[in-house]
């Protein structure tokens, strides 16, 4: 029987992105599927000088319907869950320690959200063709580590970006509150080594949601919604930045940054931008010194450049407005698009929103959010593996329903996918064991006959559950 999720974890998942209290008359934003109190949404709409507003969590833009806040659907399922939570007495906590040193309640909290994903290992290329385009058997991508990160938590604290290098260092970026953002560096065990809070541009009215991508092994390219692009050096904690108003001759208040991707092969930084109520297909290209080079304009099929990644000469883009994913082939100068392919949407979901993209074992992986077909009101998020051109869905697996952003890395000879939840502060690391990894337990037949030298390399897969609590 599944263990109960602690009430404090539930409350975090059911809290309003604006007031940080339990949702009251929760309204569902249709594209990104985030929720906000009805009265908070009314205040957000009232404060907007135009007939549009941005989601406080992810920055997705919405046009206000003619009937105002009533044009957004009420999430009755979440409302019923909150009513049940408020009417039931709190459960008794079991603080008995387990061998890992965590209380059983903390362990339940860390393992109940992001379950083991079944995704392919690098050697699994023999995929049969099925009518529904999904093979019956998959290679298990094991859950290595679940971390609950609570470093600088405030009511509006969210994770907006995640990236990792080959040394096993993970960088998280996001928003502390409307006018302040953060950069945090940790390892795959959850040990935080660096933490930096940054003030936003006082001239901007946009929220300081910060995104990131490793530019080199020690340099992280990062940018804020408010119009700031910078490079953070994890070797000495130095941070250099430039504001768009100082870079471009014209940076109107209606324009904001929505994504960033490092082109390591060309030593360039690509910054996705959008105009309020207008185009979201202009990508600003910078060099490693943050000198502006030129603008890469995507085809008109793109309306909102969300999460993106550069792989060889390809730019993989999540369009948060049209809820579509694209593979754009760029020329060598990165000044124009040569060709385009579109990712096929998962067949098992409807009312899609596309969240994130990464490259793992040479294949594109997309994180989709949507409603499960035939299960009205049942929201789901899935990581999907694609063929190199994006046309064939090869494998998929449901993940945590709060999963928001992901990245991939390779260290110690193992490729990993790191998935971060936006509000709960939870980060899950997933990795596939090598195909030739034969591990014997001490009580397995043949263990006693092993050569002592072979026992030293007979390492078990690493599954660690850790909780990092603010000191």
């Amino acid at each position: 029987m599944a263990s109960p999720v602690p009430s404090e974890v539930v409350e975090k998942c059911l809290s309003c992105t604006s007031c940080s209290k339990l949702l009251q008359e929760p309204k569902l934003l249709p594209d990104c599927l985030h929720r906000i109190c009805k009265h908070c949404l009314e205040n957000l709409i009232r404060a907007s000088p135009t007939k549009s507003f941005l989601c406080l969590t992810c920055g997705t833009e919405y046009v206000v319907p003619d009937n105002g806040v009533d044009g957004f659907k009420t999430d009755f399922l979440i409302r019923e869950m909150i009513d049940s939570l408020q009417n039931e007495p709190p459960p008794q906590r079991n603080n008995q320690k387990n061998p890992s040193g965590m209380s059983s309640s903390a362990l339940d909290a860390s393992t109940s959200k992001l379950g083991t994903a079944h995704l392919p290992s690098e050697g699994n290329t023999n995929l049969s063709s099925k009518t529904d385009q999904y093979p019956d058997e998959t290679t298990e991508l094991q859950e290595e580590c679940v971390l609950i990160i609570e470093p600088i938590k405030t009511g509006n604290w969210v994770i907006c970006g995640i990236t990792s290098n080959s040394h096993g260092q993970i960088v998280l970026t996001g928003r502390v509150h409307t006018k302040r953002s953060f950069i945090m560096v940790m390892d795959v065990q959850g040990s935080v080594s660096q933490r930096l809070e940054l003030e936003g541009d006082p001239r901007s009215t946009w929220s300081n949601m910060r995104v990131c991508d490793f530019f080199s092994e020690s340099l992280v390219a990062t940018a804020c919604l408010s119009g700031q692009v910078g490079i953070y050096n994890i070797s000495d904690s130095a941070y250099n930045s430039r504001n768009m108003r100082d870079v471009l001759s014209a940076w109107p208040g209606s324009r904001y940054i929505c994504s960033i991707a490092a082109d390591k092969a060309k030593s360039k930084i690509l910054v996705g931008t959008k105009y309020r109520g207008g185009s979201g297909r202009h990508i600003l290209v910078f060099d490693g010194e943050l000198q502006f080079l030129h603008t890469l304009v995507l085809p008109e099929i793109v309306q909102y450049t969300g999460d993106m990644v550069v792989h060889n000469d390809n730019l993989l883009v999540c369009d948060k407005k049209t809820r579509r994913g694209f593979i754009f082939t760029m020329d060598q100068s990165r000044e124009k698009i040569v060709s385009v392919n579109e990712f096929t949407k998962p067949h098992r979901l409807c009312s899609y929103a596309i969240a994130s993209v990464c490259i793992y074992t040479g294949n594109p992986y997309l994180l989709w959010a949507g409603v499960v077909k035939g299960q009205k009101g049942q929201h789901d998020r899935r990581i999907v593996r694609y063929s190199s051109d994006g046309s064939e869905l090869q494998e998929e697996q449901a993940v945590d329903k709060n999963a928001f952003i992901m990245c991939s890395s390779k260290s110690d000879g193992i490729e990993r996918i790191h998935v971060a939840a936006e509000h709960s502060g939870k980060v899950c690391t997933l990795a596939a064991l090598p195909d030739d990894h034969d591990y014997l337990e001490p009580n397995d037949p043949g263990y006693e006959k092993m050569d002592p030298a072979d026992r030293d390399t007979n390492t078990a897969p690493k599954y660690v559950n850790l909780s990092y609590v603010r000191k």
Side-chain angles (χ1 to χ4, degrees):
M1 184 174 68
S3 300
V5 180
S7 60
E8 62 269 21
V9 176
V10 175
E11 290 180 7
K12 287 179 182 178
C13 298
L14 301 179
S15 296
C16 174
T17 59
S18 178
C19 66
S20 303
K21 299 178 182 178
L22 282 179
L23 287 158
Q24 300 292 325
E25 286 297 311
K27 290 293 183 178
L28 184 66
L29 302 182
D31 291 343
C32 62
L33 303 180
H34 292 129
R35 301 169 183 86
I36 184 172
C37 295
K38 180 179 180 179
H39 66 274
C40 291
L41 182 56
E42 289 173 339
N43 293 335
L44 189 63
I45 293 174
R46 192 179 301 113
S48 175
T50 64
K51 290 189 176 182
S52 65
F53 67 93
L54 298 181
C55 171
L56 295 175
T57 298
C58 64
T60 300
E61 186 175 18
Y62 292 93
V63 176
V64 180
D66 293 337
N67 55 343
V69 69
D70 292 331
F72 295 93
K73 293 182 179 180
T74 299
D75 195 323
F76 294 102
L77 177 62
I78 293 297
R79 189 173 69 179
E80 291 176 2
M81 291 175 62
I82 293 174
D83 290 342
S84 299
L85 179 67
Q86 292 174 328
N87 293 332
E88 291 183 3
Q92 295 294 324
R93 292 190 177 275
N94 179 8
N95 291 321
Q96 181 180 357
K97 295 291 183 178
N98 58 53
S100 69
M102 289 179 61
S103 67
S104 60
S105 61
L107 182 59
D108 290 341
S110 63
T111 58
S112 62
K113 284 291 182 179
L114 288 171
T116 301
H118 297 275
L119 297 172
S121 67
E122 187 170 4
N124 184 18
T125 57
N126 185 21
L127 297 175
S128 58
S129 177
K130 302 286 184 180
T131 303
D132 61 358
Q133 299 190 32
Y134 299 107
D136 291 333
E137 297 183 359
T138 62
T139 300
E140 190 171 7
L141 185 66
Q142 299 286 0
E143 181 181 280
E144 271 199 338
C145 188
V146 175
L147 314 171
I148 300 177
I149 309 300
E150 297 184 281
I152 40 182
K153 198 93 174 190
T154 67
N156 290 324
W157 187 89
V158 294
I159 296 174
C160 302
I162 184 171
T163 185
S164 183
N165 63 10
S166 63
H167 299 307
Q169 293 171 302
I170 301 172
V171 174
L172 296 172
T173 59
R175 182 191 68 195
V176 181
H177 53 70
T178 306
K179 294 300 180 182
R180 184 181 284 266
S181 62
F182 74 87
I183 301 174
M184 185 173 66
V185 183
M186 67 179 187
D187 59 25
V188 292
Q189 281 76 41
S191 176
V192 177
S193 58
Q194 300 175 43
R195 188 185 309 146
L196 177 68
E197 291 190 35
L198 301 166
E199 294 289 344
D201 185 353
R203 297 171 293 180
S204 174
T205 59
W206 296 105
S207 175
N208 277 276
M209 290 183 284
R210 181 174 291 275
V211 292
C212 63
D213 193 14
F214 262 104
F215 180 67
S216 68
E217 287 300 300
S218 60
L219 300 179
V220 180
T222 179
C224 257
L225 191 82
S226 58
Q228 182 190 86
V229 60
I231 294 180
Y232 181 71
N233 192 329
I234 63 175
S235 299
D236 57 11
S237 301
Y239 176 68
N240 297 314
S241 65
R242 300 189 69 186
N243 287 314
M244 289 301 160
R245 288 175 175 80
D246 303 325
V247 174
L248 304 177
S249 56
W251 183 264
S254 61
R255 194 176 189 183
Y256 57 93
I257 292 175
C258 45
S259 57
I260 194 168
D263 187 349
K264 301 178 182 66
K266 299 293 183 179
S267 298
K268 295 179 179 179
I269 301 171
L270 281 63
V271 179
T273 67
K274 189 181 186 305
Y275 291 89
R276 183 197 291 269
S279 173
R281 58 193 183 92
H282 292 78
I283 296 178
L284 307 180
V285 182
F286 295 81
D287 63 16
E289 302 297 324
L290 299 181
Q291 297 298 316
F292 173 67
L293 300 177
H294 57 265
T295 299
L296 173 66
V297 182
L298 300 180
E300 293 184 357
I301 54 176
V302 176
Q303 296 185 27
Y304 191 139
T305 306
D307 191 35
M308 58 183 181
V309 64
V310 176
H311 180 58
N312 299 327
D313 289 331
N314 296 319
L315 177 65
L316 286 64
V317 174
C318 299
D319 189 331
K320 296 172 68 174
K321 184 66 175 178
T322 65
R323 312 178 195 180
R324 300 160 70 184
F326 301 99
I327 302 177
F328 297 106
T329 301
M330 302 176 288
D331 66 354
Q332 291 297 311
S333 65
R334 306 306 195 240
E335 293 184 358
K336 64 180 181 179
I337 299 299
V338 177
S339 63
V340 58
N341 287 319
E342 182 174 357
F343 286 104
T344 302
K345 292 183 177 181
H347 302 297
R348 295 171 183 172
L349 297 177
C350 59
S351 300
Y352 299 93
I354 184 169
S356 187
V357 60
C358 72
I359 298 295
Y360 178 75
T361 61
N363 284 77
Y365 280 74
L366 266 64
L367 174 61
W368 293 90
V371 177
V372 181
K373 286 185 177 179
Q375 301 181 35
K376 187 175 181 180
Q378 181 63 42
H379 298 289
D380 196 8
R381 300 207 177 193
R382 291 178 174 267
I383 293 179
V384 180
R385 179 196 186 192
Y386 287 87
S387 58
S388 59
D389 65 354
S391 62
E392 180 185 355
L393 292 82
Q394 295 181 340
E395 299 181 19
E396 69 168 274
Q397 175 63 34
V399 292
D400 179 69
K401 291 179 176 58
N402 291 306
F404 178 67
I405 195 77
M406 65 180 182
C407 71
S408 62
S409 67
K410 185 174 183 178
S411 60
D412 303 325
I414 300 176
E415 288 197 53
R416 296 175 172 88
I417 292 179
H418 309 289
V419 185
E422 51 194 343
H423 289 296
S424 63
K426 187 169 292 185
V427 178
C428 178
T429 297
L430 305 170
L433 296 176
D435 292 337
D436 59 354
H437 186 97
D438 296 323
Y439 170 67
L440 294 179
E441 295 280 358
N443 58 348
D444 286 339
Y447 181 84
E448 294 296 333
K449 298 180 181 180
M450 290 180 65
D451 186 277
D454 293 334
R455 293 183 186 179
D456 293 337
T457 60
N458 181 54
T459 56
K462 181 181 181 183
Y463 306 108
V464 185
N465 292 286
L466 300 173
S467 178
Y468 175 80
V469 182
R470 180 179 181 179
K471 298 179 179 178

